[in-house]
Amino acid sequence: MLKSIRKEVLQANPGLVKYCLLIFTLASYIYACTQSQKEGAEIIPGIIWYDTEGNPINAHGGGIMYHEGTYYWYGEYKGDSTYRLEWVTTWECWRADAGGVSCYSSKDLLNWKFEGVVLPSTPHDTISDLHPSQVIERPKVIYNDKTKKFVMWMHIESPDYEKAHAGVAISDTPTGQFTYLGSFKPNGNDSRDQTVFKDDDGRAYHIYSSEWNKTLYIGLLNDEYTQHTGKYTRNFINLSREAPAVFRHEGKYYLISSGCTGWDPNVAECAVADSLLGEWQIIGNPCVGKDADSTFFAQSTFVLPVAGRKDTYIAMFDRWNKTNLIDSRYVWLPLTFKDGKPVIEWKDKWTLD
Ligand code: GAL
């Protein structure tokens, strides 16, 4: 019955039907836009986060650089299939192909536009550090005011994680493309999990797990931020800290790190120092409440001071899904101070206000 009515209407007035269809499509589009804005008003840790084009954000182990009013989020662009390297017998080596380093931009830290893979992997160059079979992890970018270059540091690995190199890339713009300069063992020793920190005086530091991850090194970079100066300190000796995230608050430096259990979560720890190359004092787990002992089933990657807001920090973590690495989730939580110590509490959802 319905079918025959539809047929009659169609035959009688095909223009009207087309018009209705157009109105319907437009209305659906407007509805979809308001929905994504509504969803983008809150930070919801642990669910899938979509970019402004509706694709899941693929920027793991990442960090954020704020530059001229825009936030740029750089992270590992993971390949979409996860496999375990059976020939690595000493630990559970779950891997996804290295897709390079992605970049997303945002003005409000909620709606993220995909800017592309700003340091792509090189599928045709089998001997390159950037071949998908290798490992590109924990990229971080800082801006050099003197050279006007954006400088990216990252962890470069062989598939079995035995290479332990730091890689460097530079670009004239935040959205790339970045030019890869190569990789090396800074100060002649391992470099695995890592971050970089640019201080207010313009000096920059590379913070990296070294000596088979047993000891965390902090090295002063040269004026271009592309190499080490040779000045470095050994910290948390034999305490096996990784996933370092550094920030500054009221003249002191804070370093959040994880223990060393591969993709599996463990307890975080915070340390404080008067200078980056100074003595670090361990002040305990910054996470509090339920699941604080497993860092809310996640691992630190970065702490972002929110621009223009005093004492407002976002602690960024990755909740790794080791058997489906691309589906690892982002856990961002507010970091506040209580009795002079950083405190991170779980929130099901929260806003920047
Ligand atoms: C973690 C590290 C990650 C990744 C992983 C590989 O300890 O923090 O970035 O390298 O090991 O298992």
Side-chain angles (χ1 to χ4, degrees), residues 76 91-92 94 137-138 155 161 193 213 242-243 258-263 299 320:
E76 300 158 18
W91 62 289
E92 261 188 66
W94 291 99
E137 285 182 345
R138 298 189 176 272
H155 174 194
Y161 286 75
D193 278 13
N213 288 348
E242 57 178 14
S258 77
C260 211
T261 53
W263 299 115
Q299 188 184 29
W320 300 116

PDB file of all heavy atoms in Angstrom, residues 76 91-92 94 137-138 155 161 193 213 242-243 258-263 299 320, ligand 1:
ATOM      1  N   GLU A  76      52.077   9.287  18.120  1.00  0.00           N
ATOM      2  CA  GLU A  76      52.407   8.111  17.296  1.00  0.00           C
ATOM      3  C   GLU A  76      51.189   7.773  16.433  1.00  0.00           C
ATOM      4  O   GLU A  76      50.099   7.578  16.958  1.00  0.00           O
ATOM      5  CB  GLU A  76      52.686   6.898  18.197  1.00  0.00           C
ATOM      6  CG  GLU A  76      53.822   7.099  19.157  1.00  0.00           C
ATOM      7  CD  GLU A  76      53.738   6.150  20.358  1.00  0.00           C
ATOM      8  OE1 GLU A  76      53.010   5.134  20.289  1.00  0.00           O
ATOM      9  OE2 GLU A  76      54.399   6.430  21.366  1.00  0.00           O
ATOM     10  N   TRP A  91      60.344 -10.730  26.403  1.00  0.00           N
ATOM     11  CA  TRP A  91      59.166  -9.984  26.865  1.00  0.00           C
ATOM     12  C   TRP A  91      58.088 -10.037  25.788  1.00  0.00           C
ATOM     13  O   TRP A  91      58.348 -10.436  24.655  1.00  0.00           O
ATOM     14  CB  TRP A  91      59.530  -8.541  27.235  1.00  0.00           C
ATOM     15  CG  TRP A  91      60.076  -7.732  26.091  1.00  0.00           C
ATOM     16  CD1 TRP A  91      61.299  -7.877  25.497  1.00  0.00           C
ATOM     17  CD2 TRP A  91      59.422  -6.682  25.383  1.00  0.00           C
ATOM     18  NE1 TRP A  91      61.444  -6.986  24.473  1.00  0.00           N
ATOM     19  CE2 TRP A  91      60.315  -6.226  24.389  1.00  0.00           C
ATOM     20  CE3 TRP A  91      58.167  -6.068  25.503  1.00  0.00           C
ATOM     21  CZ2 TRP A  91      59.984  -5.200  23.517  1.00  0.00           C
ATOM     22  CZ3 TRP A  91      57.849  -5.031  24.640  1.00  0.00           C
ATOM     23  CH2 TRP A  91      58.748  -4.619  23.656  1.00  0.00           C
ATOM     24  N   GLU A  92      56.874  -9.637  26.175  1.00  0.00           N
ATOM     25  CA  GLU A  92      55.727  -9.681  25.262  1.00  0.00           C
ATOM     26  C   GLU A  92      55.791  -8.498  24.299  1.00  0.00           C
ATOM     27  O   GLU A  92      55.294  -7.419  24.619  1.00  0.00           O
ATOM     28  CB  GLU A  92      54.449  -9.511  26.079  1.00  0.00           C
ATOM     29  CG  GLU A  92      53.724 -10.770  26.400  1.00  0.00           C
ATOM     30  CD  GLU A  92      52.379 -10.440  27.032  1.00  0.00           C
ATOM     31  OE1 GLU A  92      51.501  -9.868  26.376  1.00  0.00           O
ATOM     32  OE2 GLU A  92      52.238 -10.747  28.214  1.00  0.00           O
ATOM     33  N   TRP A  94      54.392  -6.726  21.726  1.00  0.00           N
ATOM     34  CA  TRP A  94      53.245  -6.409  20.869  1.00  0.00           C
ATOM     35  C   TRP A  94      53.577  -5.176  20.044  1.00  0.00           C
ATOM     36  O   TRP A  94      54.095  -4.202  20.583  1.00  0.00           O
ATOM     37  CB  TRP A  94      52.002  -6.138  21.720  1.00  0.00           C
ATOM     38  CG  TRP A  94      51.468  -7.358  22.402  1.00  0.00           C
ATOM     39  CD1 TRP A  94      51.675  -7.716  23.692  1.00  0.00           C
ATOM     40  CD2 TRP A  94      50.656  -8.372  21.817  1.00  0.00           C
ATOM     41  NE1 TRP A  94      51.034  -8.905  23.963  1.00  0.00           N
ATOM     42  CE2 TRP A  94      50.391  -9.326  22.832  1.00  0.00           C
ATOM     43  CE3 TRP A  94      50.118  -8.584  20.536  1.00  0.00           C
ATOM     44  CZ2 TRP A  94      49.621 -10.461  22.606  1.00  0.00           C
ATOM     45  CZ3 TRP A  94      49.341  -9.708  20.320  1.00  0.00           C
ATOM     46  CH2 TRP A  94      49.105 -10.637  21.347  1.00  0.00           C
ATOM     47  N   GLU A 137      58.269   6.293  18.639  1.00  0.00           N
ATOM     48  CA  GLU A 137      57.399   6.487  19.807  1.00  0.00           C
ATOM     49  C   GLU A 137      57.652   7.816  20.519  1.00  0.00           C
ATOM     50  O   GLU A 137      58.724   8.393  20.421  1.00  0.00           O
ATOM     51  CB  GLU A 137      57.611   5.341  20.809  1.00  0.00           C
ATOM     52  CG  GLU A 137      56.952   4.060  20.359  1.00  0.00           C
ATOM     53  CD  GLU A 137      57.093   2.909  21.359  1.00  0.00           C
ATOM     54  OE1 GLU A 137      57.932   3.003  22.267  1.00  0.00           O
ATOM     55  OE2 GLU A 137      56.378   1.918  21.211  1.00  0.00           O
ATOM     56  N   ARG A 138      56.625   8.228  21.263  1.00  0.00           N
ATOM     57  CA  ARG A 138      56.676   9.366  22.191  1.00  0.00           C
ATOM     58  C   ARG A 138      57.253  10.645  21.568  1.00  0.00           C
ATOM     59  O   ARG A 138      58.142  11.281  22.142  1.00  0.00           O
ATOM     60  CB  ARG A 138      57.446   8.976  23.452  1.00  0.00           C
ATOM     61  CG  ARG A 138      56.757   7.848  24.204  1.00  0.00           C
ATOM     62  CD  ARG A 138      57.329   7.560  25.566  1.00  0.00           C
ATOM     63  NE  ARG A 138      56.516   6.536  26.214  1.00  0.00           N
ATOM     64  CZ  ARG A 138      55.443   6.777  26.955  1.00  0.00           C
ATOM     65  NH1 ARG A 138      55.091   8.011  27.198  1.00  0.00           N
ATOM     66  NH2 ARG A 138      54.737   5.795  27.469  1.00  0.00           N
ATOM     67  N   HIS A 155      61.500   8.686  20.203  1.00  0.00           N
ATOM     68  CA  HIS A 155      62.182   7.425  20.498  1.00  0.00           C
ATOM     69  C   HIS A 155      62.196   6.594  19.216  1.00  0.00           C
ATOM     70  O   HIS A 155      61.141   6.273  18.677  1.00  0.00           O
ATOM     71  CB  HIS A 155      61.427   6.715  21.633  1.00  0.00           C
ATOM     72  CG  HIS A 155      61.930   5.351  21.957  1.00  0.00           C
ATOM     73  ND1 HIS A 155      61.201   4.472  22.733  1.00  0.00           N
ATOM     74  CD2 HIS A 155      63.072   4.692  21.627  1.00  0.00           C
ATOM     75  CE1 HIS A 155      61.888   3.348  22.867  1.00  0.00           C
ATOM     76  NE2 HIS A 155      63.018   3.451  22.199  1.00  0.00           N
ATOM     77  N   TYR A 161      63.158  -3.518  20.177  1.00  0.00           N
ATOM     78  CA  TYR A 161      63.464  -2.473  21.160  1.00  0.00           C
ATOM     79  C   TYR A 161      64.898  -2.572  21.704  1.00  0.00           C
ATOM     80  O   TYR A 161      65.155  -2.252  22.858  1.00  0.00           O
ATOM     81  CB  TYR A 161      62.461  -2.506  22.330  1.00  0.00           C
ATOM     82  CG  TYR A 161      61.088  -1.967  21.974  1.00  0.00           C
ATOM     83  CD1 TYR A 161      60.200  -2.715  21.202  1.00  0.00           C
ATOM     84  CD2 TYR A 161      60.676  -0.715  22.408  1.00  0.00           C
ATOM     85  CE1 TYR A 161      58.943  -2.228  20.874  1.00  0.00           C
ATOM     86  CE2 TYR A 161      59.411  -0.218  22.087  1.00  0.00           C
ATOM     87  CZ  TYR A 161      58.561  -0.982  21.323  1.00  0.00           C
ATOM     88  OH  TYR A 161      57.311  -0.494  20.993  1.00  0.00           O
ATOM     89  N   ASP A 193      62.060   5.662  26.323  1.00  0.00           N
ATOM     90  CA  ASP A 193      60.965   6.610  26.588  1.00  0.00           C
ATOM     91  C   ASP A 193      61.552   7.992  26.840  1.00  0.00           C
ATOM     92  O   ASP A 193      62.542   8.123  27.571  1.00  0.00           O
ATOM     93  CB  ASP A 193      60.184   6.169  27.833  1.00  0.00           C
ATOM     94  CG  ASP A 193      59.158   5.100  27.500  1.00  0.00           C
ATOM     95  OD1 ASP A 193      59.218   4.534  26.408  1.00  0.00           O
ATOM     96  OD2 ASP A 193      58.292   4.833  28.366  1.00  0.00           O
ATOM     97  N   ASN A 213      66.875   1.256  30.620  1.00  0.00           N
ATOM     98  CA  ASN A 213      65.701   1.801  31.320  1.00  0.00           C
ATOM     99  C   ASN A 213      65.882   1.897  32.832  1.00  0.00           C
ATOM    100  O   ASN A 213      64.924   2.201  33.548  1.00  0.00           O
ATOM    101  CB  ASN A 213      64.425   0.985  31.040  1.00  0.00           C
ATOM    102  CG  ASN A 213      63.905   1.189  29.641  1.00  0.00           C
ATOM    103  OD1 ASN A 213      64.347   2.099  28.944  1.00  0.00           O
ATOM    104  ND2 ASN A 213      62.984   0.349  29.232  1.00  0.00           N
ATOM    105  N   GLU A 242      60.157   5.294  33.557  1.00  0.00           N
ATOM    106  CA  GLU A 242      59.987   5.657  32.139  1.00  0.00           C
ATOM    107  C   GLU A 242      58.741   6.500  31.956  1.00  0.00           C
ATOM    108  O   GLU A 242      58.135   6.933  32.934  1.00  0.00           O
ATOM    109  CB  GLU A 242      60.009   4.418  31.232  1.00  0.00           C
ATOM    110  CG  GLU A 242      58.993   3.390  31.545  1.00  0.00           C
ATOM    111  CD  GLU A 242      59.028   2.216  30.588  1.00  0.00           C
ATOM    112  OE1 GLU A 242      59.995   2.053  29.833  1.00  0.00           O
ATOM    113  OE2 GLU A 242      58.060   1.454  30.594  1.00  0.00           O
ATOM    114  N   ALA A 243      58.368   6.785  30.699  1.00  0.00           N
ATOM    115  CA  ALA A 243      57.214   7.637  30.368  1.00  0.00           C
ATOM    116  C   ALA A 243      57.286   9.002  31.061  1.00  0.00           C
ATOM    117  O   ALA A 243      56.327   9.445  31.696  1.00  0.00           O
ATOM    118  CB  ALA A 243      55.912   6.919  30.730  1.00  0.00           C
ATOM    119  N   SER A 258      56.412   6.642  34.993  1.00  0.00           N
ATOM    120  CA  SER A 258      55.791   5.345  35.320  1.00  0.00           C
ATOM    121  C   SER A 258      56.902   4.369  35.687  1.00  0.00           C
ATOM    122  O   SER A 258      58.079   4.642  35.451  1.00  0.00           O
ATOM    123  CB  SER A 258      55.015   4.818  34.117  1.00  0.00           C
ATOM    124  OG  SER A 258      55.925   4.282  33.168  1.00  0.00           O
ATOM    125  N   GLY A 259      56.480   3.216  36.197  1.00  0.00           N
ATOM    126  CA  GLY A 259      57.423   2.117  36.353  1.00  0.00           C
ATOM    127  C   GLY A 259      57.611   1.455  34.991  1.00  0.00           C
ATOM    128  O   GLY A 259      57.111   1.945  33.968  1.00  0.00           O
ATOM    129  N   CYS A 260      58.286   0.344  34.988  1.00  0.00           N
ATOM    130  CA  CYS A 260      58.735  -0.242  33.729  1.00  0.00           C
ATOM    131  C   CYS A 260      58.083  -1.613  33.527  1.00  0.00           C
ATOM    132  O   CYS A 260      58.691  -2.630  33.829  1.00  0.00           O
ATOM    133  CB  CYS A 260      60.252  -0.368  33.866  1.00  0.00           C
ATOM    134  SG  CYS A 260      61.122  -0.206  32.364  1.00  0.00           S
ATOM    135  N   THR A 261      56.830  -1.628  33.025  1.00  0.00           N
ATOM    136  CA  THR A 261      56.137  -2.913  32.836  1.00  0.00           C
ATOM    137  C   THR A 261      55.546  -3.012  31.423  1.00  0.00           C
ATOM    138  O   THR A 261      54.423  -3.480  31.244  1.00  0.00           O
ATOM    139  CB  THR A 261      55.020  -3.094  33.905  1.00  0.00           C
ATOM    140  OG1 THR A 261      54.159  -1.944  33.878  1.00  0.00           O
ATOM    141  CG2 THR A 261      55.585  -3.264  35.307  1.00  0.00           C
ATOM    142  N   GLY A 262      56.282  -2.513  30.442  1.00  0.00           N
ATOM    143  CA  GLY A 262      55.822  -2.604  29.052  1.00  0.00           C
ATOM    144  C   GLY A 262      54.504  -1.869  28.858  1.00  0.00           C
ATOM    145  O   GLY A 262      54.319  -0.757  29.352  1.00  0.00           O
ATOM    146  N   TRP A 263      53.564  -2.522  28.159  1.00  0.00           N
ATOM    147  CA  TRP A 263      52.269  -1.876  27.878  1.00  0.00           C
ATOM    148  C   TRP A 263      51.331  -1.929  29.086  1.00  0.00           C
ATOM    149  O   TRP A 263      50.252  -1.352  29.053  1.00  0.00           O
ATOM    150  CB  TRP A 263      51.575  -2.559  26.699  1.00  0.00           C
ATOM    151  CG  TRP A 263      52.306  -2.518  25.397  1.00  0.00           C
ATOM    152  CD1 TRP A 263      52.814  -3.584  24.710  1.00  0.00           C
ATOM    153  CD2 TRP A 263      52.605  -1.362  24.588  1.00  0.00           C
ATOM    154  NE1 TRP A 263      53.418  -3.163  23.548  1.00  0.00           N
ATOM    155  CE2 TRP A 263      53.299  -1.813  23.444  1.00  0.00           C
ATOM    156  CE3 TRP A 263      52.368   0.009  24.716  1.00  0.00           C
ATOM    157  CZ2 TRP A 263      53.742  -0.952  22.442  1.00  0.00           C
ATOM    158  CZ3 TRP A 263      52.807   0.874  23.722  1.00  0.00           C
ATOM    159  CH2 TRP A 263      53.484   0.388  22.608  1.00  0.00           C
ATOM    160  N   GLN A 299      49.262   5.301  31.383  1.00  0.00           N
ATOM    161  CA  GLN A 299      50.686   5.621  31.567  1.00  0.00           C
ATOM    162  C   GLN A 299      50.938   7.064  31.123  1.00  0.00           C
ATOM    163  O   GLN A 299      50.442   7.492  30.076  1.00  0.00           O
ATOM    164  CB  GLN A 299      51.526   4.654  30.719  1.00  0.00           C
ATOM    165  CG  GLN A 299      53.004   4.744  30.963  1.00  0.00           C
ATOM    166  CD  GLN A 299      53.808   3.846  30.040  1.00  0.00           C
ATOM    167  OE1 GLN A 299      53.384   3.566  28.920  1.00  0.00           O
ATOM    168  NE2 GLN A 299      54.973   3.416  30.475  1.00  0.00           N
ATOM    169  N   TRP A 320      46.932   1.968  27.206  1.00  0.00           N
ATOM    170  CA  TRP A 320      47.330   1.087  26.099  1.00  0.00           C
ATOM    171  C   TRP A 320      46.425  -0.123  26.001  1.00  0.00           C
ATOM    172  O   TRP A 320      46.048  -0.713  27.021  1.00  0.00           O
ATOM    173  CB  TRP A 320      48.774   0.600  26.298  1.00  0.00           C
ATOM    174  CG  TRP A 320      49.790   1.696  26.366  1.00  0.00           C
ATOM    175  CD1 TRP A 320      50.574   2.013  27.438  1.00  0.00           C
ATOM    176  CD2 TRP A 320      50.152   2.615  25.326  1.00  0.00           C
ATOM    177  NE1 TRP A 320      51.397   3.071  27.130  1.00  0.00           N
ATOM    178  CE2 TRP A 320      51.163   3.460  25.841  1.00  0.00           C
ATOM    179  CE3 TRP A 320      49.724   2.811  24.016  1.00  0.00           C
ATOM    180  CZ2 TRP A 320      51.744   4.478  25.087  1.00  0.00           C
ATOM    181  CZ3 TRP A 320      50.305   3.828  23.271  1.00  0.00           C
ATOM    182  CH2 TRP A 320      51.300   4.643  23.798  1.00  0.00           C
TER     183      TRP A 320
HETATM  184  C1  GAL B   1      56.418   0.978  27.507  1.00  0.00           C
HETATM  185  C2  GAL B   1      56.714   2.334  26.942  1.00  0.00           C
HETATM  186  C3  GAL B   1      55.906   2.491  25.688  1.00  0.00           C
HETATM  187  C4  GAL B   1      56.269   1.364  24.740  1.00  0.00           C
HETATM  188  C5  GAL B   1      56.048   0.037  25.417  1.00  0.00           C
HETATM  189  C6  GAL B   1      56.462  -1.149  24.554  1.00  0.00           C
HETATM  190  O1  GAL B   1      57.143   0.710  28.650  1.00  0.00           O
HETATM  191  O2  GAL B   1      56.383   3.321  27.873  1.00  0.00           O
HETATM  192  O3  GAL B   1      56.141   3.762  25.126  1.00  0.00           O
HETATM  193  O4  GAL B   1      57.608   1.486  24.379  1.00  0.00           O
HETATM  194  O5  GAL B   1      56.791  -0.030  26.613  1.00  0.00           O
HETATM  195  O6  GAL B   1      56.197  -2.321  25.241  1.00  0.00           O
END
